[in-house]
Amino acid sequence: MEGLWVHSVLLIFLLPCPVGSQTSSIPDQRWWTDPREAPSQQHAARATQEQKADGVLEGLPPQPRCVRCCPPPEKRFYPQYQPVPQINMTILKGEKGDRGERGMQGKFGKTGVAGSRGHAGPKGQKGSMGAPGERCKSHYAAFSVGRKKPLHSNDYYQTLIFDTEFVNLYDHFNMFTGKFYCYIPGIYYFSLNVHTWNQKETYLHIMRNGAEVVILYAQVSDRSIMQSQSVMLELKEQDEVWVRLYKGERENAVFSDEYDTYITFSGHLIKYSGDP
């Protein structure tokens, strides 16, 4: 019986080995010559060889052994958890330090929405009196004249000449020519009053620089009446204003006598329009 076991073991050793390996009767000799073989495979082959050798020497059947057939797991190192001590800063709070230096001014932000108007503040104190200003320049111009003689029309136009002077400020109205001469530019008011003649027309114009401005007219009537006309004119310096009786194509006249003044012509400056 022992002889059969010996022959079996010898047959196993005489079997052809895999490519890349060699048989050896020495237990310490390496079977796997390929350096790329995994260490676990080399260990497994060596353990098998040792078991076979032990069985041949002792004449006993080979005993199975546990052999690692898988590569050893990689060693991984996991950091151990170390608790971080928590410090209560309120316990260690010290005294308030000094105020630091003022930092640089930041950028201006966007303009916000306008707020509501606040309450009126208290009235301030009265300020001191200012320096006196320049004296105001006043401009005046006015006249008022009358006529005590009647006037009848003829073959040409006639300027109504006045013989009575009521007001003639600075002599701007010329009593000889019967015209008002503008020396102060501005807006003027003029008025003309006449008395009509029975059975005759009354036909006059207020003139400016040779142009007719407004008319004073009264139709033929059995009785005489007072008739008036007024106008406002903006005059420039050297402008002329007067009253003209229409020529004799149409018989007309104005009435007056030496006892009363029936005809008047007046004018005055309302607003100065020259340089301030």
Side-chain angles (χ1 to χ4, degrees):
M1 200 64 183
E2 294 179 358
L4 292 174
W5 283 102
V6 172
H7 289 294
S8 300
V9 172
L10 292 175
L11 288 173
I12 292 172
F13 278 98
L14 293 176
L15 289 174
C17 298
V19 179
S21 64
Q22 297 180 358
T23 60
S24 175
S25 61
I26 302 174
D28 297 334
Q29 187 175 3
R30 296 180 180 274
W31 282 33
W32 307 100
T33 58
D34 190 356
R36 293 174 295 179
E37 292 288 344
S40 59
Q41 296 177 359
Q42 295 179 7
H43 293 164
R46 185 172 181 178
T48 305
Q49 179 63 23
E50 290 178 355
Q51 290 179 2
K52 291 179 181 182
D54 292 341
V56 173
L57 296 176
E58 297 179 1
L60 297 175
Q63 299 295 327
R65 292 185 179 182
C66 293
V67 179
R68 181 183 296 275
C69 61
C70 298
E74 298 179 359
K75 294 182 179 181
R76 298 182 180 179
F77 297 93
Y78 297 94
Q80 296 182 357
Y81 173 74
Q82 295 181 359
V84 179
Q86 301 292 332
I87 301 175
N88 190 353
M89 299 302 295
T90 58
I91 300 175
L92 302 178
K93 184 177 180 180
E95 297 179 357
K96 185 177 180 180
D98 298 334
R99 185 175 181 179
E101 297 180 359
R102 186 174 181 180
M104 298 177 63
Q105 183 178 358
K107 296 180 179 179
F108 291 98
K110 296 181 178 180
T111 305
V113 181
S116 58
R117 186 174 182 179
H119 299 286
K123 185 177 180 180
Q125 298 179 355
K126 186 177 180 180
S128 58
M129 183 180 294
E134 296 182 359
R135 185 176 179 180
C136 180
K137 296 181 179 180
S138 300
H139 301 276
Y140 302 99
F143 73 93
S144 181
V145 293
R147 179 182 176 95
K148 291 187 176 183
K149 296 178 181 180
L151 181 65
H152 294 267
S153 62
N154 52 28
D155 295 337
Y156 54 88
Y157 295 108
Q158 299 181 72
T159 301
L160 195 61
I161 304 298
F162 297 89
D163 51 27
T164 304
E165 183 180 83
F166 299 108
V167 174
N168 192 6
L169 191 61
Y170 309 122
D171 293 329
H172 289 180
F173 188 88
N174 192 321
M175 298 295 290
F176 297 99
T177 61
K179 295 182 179 180
F180 169 78
Y181 296 92
C182 177
Y183 295 98
I184 302 174
I187 299 174
Y188 287 80
Y189 174 81
F190 297 95
S191 65
L192 174 64
N193 295 277
V194 300
H195 193 278
T196 63
W197 200 294
N198 295 344
Q199 302 298 325
K200 292 185 179 181
E201 286 185 328
T202 303
Y203 197 178
L204 300 100
H205 285 96
I206 296 179
M207 309 290 293
R208 178 178 62 180
N209 299 333
E212 300 171 352
V213 179
V214 291
I215 186 174
L216 188 153
Y217 178 78
Q219 292 180 343
V220 177
S221 177
D222 294 336
R223 59 188 181 91
S224 61
I225 59 173
M226 294 293 298
Q227 196 80 347
S228 66
Q229 179 64 283
S230 62
V231 66
M232 294 178 63
L233 298 175
E234 183 174 3
L235 302 181
K236 298 179 181 179
E237 193 173 354
Q238 302 301 325
D239 282 351
E240 300 176 0
V241 178
W242 75 95
V243 180
R244 187 191 70 178
L245 184 66
Y246 199 76
K247 59 185 178 178
E249 294 177 358
R250 303 172 65 174
E251 186 178 359
N252 64 91
V254 289
F255 174 82
S256 188
D257 58 34
E258 58 184 8
Y259 301 103
D260 293 308
T261 305
Y262 290 88
I263 304 170
T264 60
F265 183 43
S266 303
H268 63 275
L269 175 67
I270 297 177
K271 184 178 183 303
Y272 174 69
S273 61
D275 297 333

